[in-house]
Amino acid sequence: MLRDPSVKYRAFPQVDLPDRQWPSRTITQPPRWLSTDMRDGNQALIDPMDGEKKQRFFDLLCRVGIKEIEVGFPSAGATEFDFISGLVRDGKVPDDVTIQVLTQSRRDLIETSFESLRGAKTAIVHLYNAVSPAWRRIVFGMSRDEIRGIAIEGAKVMRDCAAAQPDTDWRFEYSPETFSTAELDFSVEVCEAVMDILQPTADKPIILNLPATVEAATPNIYADQIEWFGRNIRNREAVVISLHTHNDRGTGVAASELGLLAGADRVEGCLFGNGERTGNVDLVTLALNMYTQGVDPGLDFSDIDEVIQTVEYCNRLPVHPRHPYAGELVFTAFSGSHQDAIKKGFAAQEARNDQMWDVPYLPIDPKDLGRDYEAVIRVNSQSGKGGVAWVLEQDRGLKLPKRMQADFSRHVQALADETSRELNAADIGALFDRTYLPGDADRIALVDYEETGGTGKRVFVGRIAIDGEPRSISGRGNGLISGVIDALGGSTGPRLDVVDYSEHAIGNGADAQAAAYVECRTDDGRTVFGVGIDADIATASVRAVLSAANRAG
């Protein structure tokens, strides 16, 4: 890399718009959406979609709720032409969906495009030609007048082809391709020349698509370009301003959002941002960004995993695990501090009476996208006690007291360091059982017990096995737990004092079990924890004390 890149690259010029209005605006309604997955997205694939994949993708876009779909480039070849004409001929286009085709500004290509749509109820023909200085100078070797002439001639052919098929409700779109790197006044000049031919009205407006064909500046500059264009184009009421941003600088979503603030009416893009080079704008991200701000995008991603599966199948490209909203890991926390905040956020969310979503680190409720909460917190060597407690609660219904969370977290950390991998719920559950619940290594095991006496004068009589040998023990206390402690009496190990006790039900109904937790201090100053699980809460409490006694040694 150059130490002084200014000798090779120049900063993109600002737009002279001192009274710009877009920075103070808010997006309050969705745009018109157009998917170009089947055209711009398809031409960017290593292996373009065949007819079966195209149909599957088209059906997905309709289910999601996209009402305008650019279905292909019919003049590119027989595969494209046959698919498009088949959609029309076989009645596969829903009445509320409008298909669109793309064509360069050449007579034969435009005529082929109209022919592919013969018989359509309504359709959009999208004409384009590049207008920026680099393309004029390097690619075409043409003057501004010649470039404008190409657009005019294309518009005339469109007009005449539409007149020859009057049974179709034709809509027209024109793109001054490379708009983002062209002179604004020339873009307006070319667009108005096209409008002079096609004569749009407020009832039947023309779509003027303003592409960031190559993203070459910060999103605020693109917004300035859109606002400038909207102010200066003639007959604005007869124009639908459409955005088509690419992602060369990684800010395609931001550019489209600011472009909408700047007055645009429509957005073209691809699901999950597929497209040439770094891709087109990501319609899923853009729509769900609106959703998290309380704006209904008009698109349905309530089964995001089904959308992902279809797109991955058709495109043969994976959706990145960190992809906004959709990635496998975007709702997952490994970090201990993140896990703690999320766990507390869910608890607070459940306790509130209102529905407003407010959970740290989760800008959207995963359930709104058809995801469950099982994978929100996952455990590895970076995780903390909150994450471990969350996994146990979600998987086993166990609600560990806070100090016990810290105790068990040490065991989990040791296992994670030892295995050097993520620990799943089964790993954590098995470790919990080995650490706190009865096992072969335990010295003390409960055989049976009974309790007699009234309040404050309880007698515990139990049969236990110590190192496999049966033994009868008894003790008195003001409750069951103190009676068990007295019965153990230090003869089975250190004496215990109960510091904390808690219990809760696991599940509901007749099959529900109970969990009991005790925190005890030994006579030599150590803290040990015990857990008991049983269908009977009293028995669970006894088991918890014996669990602590086993931990005390």
Side-chain angles (χ1 to χ4, degrees):
M1 294 178 65
L2 300 172
R3 292 301 89 200
D4 180 12
S6 67
V7 302
K8 189 173 184 179
Y9 304 98
R10 64 176 66 90
F12 198 89
Q14 296 283 330
V15 177
D16 184 17
L17 196 67
D19 61 339
R20 57 183 58 83
Q21 300 298 304
W22 64 262
S24 61
R25 294 175 181 158
T26 302
I27 295 174
T28 58
Q29 61 184 22
R32 288 169 52 176
W33 302 102
L34 175 122
S35 162
T36 186
D37 287 274
M38 302 179 69
R39 197 274 305 170
D40 210 347
N42 189 48
Q43 73 183 27
L45 298 176
I46 298 170
D47 298 307
M49 290 182 276
D50 59 18
E52 183 269 334
K53 288 185 172 69
K54 278 176 168 287
Q55 186 63 57
R56 185 165 173 175
F57 210 124
F58 181 80
D59 293 341
L60 170 69
L61 294 170
C62 293
R63 288 198 304 275
V64 165
I66 294 178
K67 302 303 182 185
E68 297 178 17
I69 303 172
E70 194 164 74
V71 289
F73 203 131
S75 60
T79 300
E80 291 280 282
F81 185 96
D82 292 345
F83 173 75
I84 295 164
S85 60
L87 281 177
V88 176
R89 181 183 62 250
D90 299 335
K92 293 181 177 179
V93 182
D95 289 342
D96 61 346
V97 171
T98 300
I99 58 174
Q100 173 174 306
V101 298
L102 181 71
T103 177
Q104 293 168 311
S105 188
R106 277 177 36 192
R107 173 176 291 275
D108 58 328
L109 305 184
I110 297 170
E111 290 174 345
T112 298
S113 299
F114 273 87
E115 187 59 32
S116 73
L117 295 168
R118 181 173 293 278
K121 178 181 177 181
T122 182
I124 302 169
V125 178
H126 180 186
L127 178 76
Y128 76 95
N129 67 303
V131 300
S132 68
W135 265 255
R136 297 197 307 260
R137 184 180 69 255
I138 300 169
V139 181
F140 303 120
M142 290 183 175
S143 66
R144 287 171 62 144
D145 287 345
E146 290 172 310
I147 292 294
R148 184 176 61 254
I150 290 174
I152 291 171
E153 288 305 310
K156 289 179 179 178
V157 178
M158 287 176 68
R159 178 197 60 195
D160 297 342
C161 287
Q165 296 187 46
D167 292 337
T168 297
D169 179 11
W170 295 105
R171 303 291 169 137
F172 302 123
E173 176 173 346
Y174 173 70
S175 289
E177 193 194 8
T178 66
F179 164 83
S180 58
T181 52
E183 308 93 335
L184 286 170
D185 64 330
F186 185 54
S187 293
V188 167
E189 181 183 326
V190 175
C191 288
E192 290 182 344
V194 170
M195 292 170 67
D196 288 339
I197 304 300
L198 298 177
Q199 293 293 303
T201 65
D203 292 333
K204 199 167 184 178
I206 187 173
I207 301 167
L208 294 180
N209 187 51
L210 307 179
T213 306
V214 178
E215 189 177 36
T218 50
N220 61 295
I221 290 180
Y222 184 68
D224 282 349
Q225 292 173 325
I226 299 302
E227 184 169 334
W228 193 99
F229 185 94
R231 289 190 193 184
N232 288 277
I233 191 71
R234 191 172 66 235
N235 297 334
R236 176 65 177 91
E237 71 281 357
V239 171
V240 172
I241 293 181
S242 182
L243 308 177
H244 183 113
T245 57
H246 281 254
N247 202 41
D248 299 271
R249 292 171 57 93
T251 56
V253 168
S256 287
E257 289 178 326
L258 299 193
L260 290 173
L261 295 176
D265 310 293
R266 182 177 184 261
V267 171
E268 298 189 354
C270 293
L271 300 182
F272 306 119
N274 179 44
E276 297 163 301
R277 303 181 309 282
T278 56
N280 290 36
V281 71
D282 179 347
L283 295 186
V284 175
T285 299
L286 189 58
L288 292 178
N289 281 355
M290 294 179 190
Y291 183 84
T292 64
Q293 302 302 301
V295 176
D296 179 4
L299 302 180
D300 183 5
F301 296 116
S302 57
D303 189 353
I304 195 72
D305 289 331
E306 191 268 340
V307 176
I308 292 169
Q309 290 164 9
T310 301
V311 172
E312 288 184 332
Y313 169 76
C314 293
N315 286 349
R316 300 181 67 180
L317 292 173
V319 172
H320 195 279
R322 296 293 183 188
H323 193 103
Y325 301 110
E328 179 187 357
L329 298 178
V330 296
F331 299 126
T332 300
F334 292 102
S335 162
S337 60
H338 289 210
Q339 292 172 342
D340 183 63
I342 291 171
K343 182 174 179 289
K344 290 175 179 175
F346 272 114
Q349 186 76 21
E350 187 175 344
R352 285 198 303 272
N353 291 325
D354 65 86
Q355 293 184 338
M356 296 305 293
W357 182 252
D358 188 18
V359 176
Y361 293 113
L362 296 179
I364 192 172
D365 185 348
K367 284 192 174 179
D368 289 356
L369 304 181
R371 297 269 176 91
D372 56 38
Y373 296 145
E374 290 184 6
V376 170
I377 291 177
R378 290 162 60 175
V379 176
N380 62 16
S381 61
Q382 305 298 307
S383 304
K385 63 181 184 298
V388 173
W390 167 271
V391 172
L392 278 176
E393 183 172 347
Q394 297 299 305
D395 188 57
R396 302 275 291 271
L398 298 173
K399 301 176 182 179
L400 273 59
K402 191 168 184 179
R403 286 192 292 270
M404 190 176 183
Q405 293 177 21
D407 183 73
F408 183 49
S409 180
R410 294 186 294 103
H411 297 277
V412 174
Q413 184 72 43
L415 181 60
D417 288 338
E418 177 186 338
T419 58
S420 298
R421 64 173 176 83
E422 179 189 352
L423 302 181
N424 58 34
D427 295 325
I428 294 169
L431 179 60
F432 181 85
D433 293 347
R434 293 196 302 271
T435 304
Y436 299 108
L437 297 184
D440 294 338
D442 286 346
R443 293 184 58 244
I444 308 169
L446 178 66
V447 178
D448 197 5
Y449 80 94
E450 63 179 17
E451 184 188 19
T452 62
T455 303
K457 296 180 181 180
R458 310 299 290 271
V459 178
F460 170 84
V461 178
R463 294 181 64 243
I464 63 174
I466 299 180
D467 295 326
E469 295 294 325
R471 182 183 300 185
S472 294
I473 60 173
S474 65
R476 297 175 180 272
N478 59 8
L480 176 61
I481 291 177
S482 59
V484 178
I485 294 288
D486 185 61
L488 292 174
S491 61
T492 59
R495 294 190 64 87
L496 301 176
D497 288 322
V498 176
V499 176
D500 186 49
Y501 170 83
S502 62
E503 63 186 42
H504 66 82
I506 304 174
N508 299 299
D511 295 331
Q513 289 194 305
Y517 311 93
V518 293
E519 177 185 348
C520 298
R521 185 170 293 112
T522 66
D523 53 9
D524 57 359
R526 291 178 294 125
T527 297
V528 293
F529 295 86
V531 179
I533 299 175
D534 197 89
D536 174 63
I537 185 58
T539 304
S541 300
V542 174
R543 293 188 185 281
V545 175
L546 296 183
S547 171
N550 279 311
R551 308 288 83 72

